[in-house]
C-alpha cells in the first residue's frame, strides 16, 4: 500500500513539472535549439510545428496546407515520400515538403517549417 502511494505521488510530481502543450501531450523539440516551437494542431496525428528563419504563423500555415489541403493544391513528385519523394504546395510556390518517420519539413532555401507527430 505504501509503495503504491509513493509511486502515485512520484507520477503526480512528474506530470506537474513536465513540459507540455495545451492538450496535455508532451512537447519535445526534436529539431534543435535553432528551431522555435510554434504550437500544434490535429490532423490524422497530433502534429507539433517548429520554425527556423520564418514566423510561426507561416510555419503553421505551411504545415496545415501540407496535411489538410485537397490534392489539387499539391504536386507530388516520386510518390511524395521516401528518399526521392517530395511534395510542392501550389499556394506556396518554391516550398518543398519532405516527410519521414515521425516528422518532416517544408523548406525554401534556409527557411524551414518542420513538424513532428
Amino acid at each position: 500500500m505504501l509503495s503504491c502511494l509513493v509511486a502515485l505521488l512520484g507520477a503526480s510530481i512528474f506530470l506537474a513539472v513536465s513540459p507540455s502543450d495545451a492538450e496535455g501531450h508532451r512537447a519535445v523539440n526534436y529539431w534543435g535549439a535553432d528551431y522555435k516551437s510554434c504550437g500544434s494542431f490535429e490532423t490524422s496525428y497530433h502534429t507539433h510545428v517548429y520554425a527556423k528563419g520564418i514566423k510561426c504563423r507561416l510555419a503553421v500555415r505551411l504545415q496545415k496546407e501540407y496535411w489538410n489541403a485537397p490534392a489539387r493544391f499539391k504536386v507530388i513528385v516520386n510518390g511524395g515520400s521516401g528518399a526521392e519523394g517530395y511534395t510542392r504546395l501550389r499556394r506556396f510556390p518554391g516550398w518543398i515538403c519532405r516527410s519521414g518517420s515521425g516528422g518532416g519539413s517544408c523548406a525554401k532555401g534556409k527557411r524551414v517549417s518542420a513538424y513532428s507527430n
Side-chain angles (χ1 to χ4, degrees):
M1 178 70 175
L2 183 60
S3 63
C4 289
L5 184 60
V6 171
L8 186 60
L9 181 61
S12 65
I13 290 171
F14 172 77
L15 291 173
V17 298
S18 64
S20 61
D21 61 15
E23 290 84 21
H25 295 75
R26 188 166 170 87
V28 179
N29 186 348
Y30 294 108
W31 288 93
D34 51 344
Y35 285 81
K36 57 187 168 190
S37 180
C38 296
S40 61
F41 63 95
E42 293 295 326
T43 60
S44 51
Y45 301 98
H46 187 79
T47 304
H48 297 276
V49 181
Y50 306 92
K52 178 180 175 186
I54 60 174
K55 294 184 180 203
C56 280
R57 182 176 173 180
L58 177 58
V60 171
R61 285 179 57 212
L62 283 160
Q63 291 307 321
K64 284 185 174 181
E65 181 80 4
Y66 176 68
W67 282 95
N68 298 330
R72 70 181 184 273
F73 292 115
K74 301 176 189 177
V75 177
I76 297 173
V77 179
N78 290 334
S81 62
E84 300 296 321
Y86 59 91
T87 301
R88 290 188 178 270
L89 305 173
R90 291 186 193 272
R91 290 190 265 203
F92 294 92
W95 287 87
I96 296 175
C97 300
R98 300 180 188 274
S99 67
S101 178
S105 65
C106 295
K108 184 176 183 179
K110 293 183 179 182
R111 299 177 292 168
V112 182
S113 168
Y115 74 89
S116 63
N117 50 19

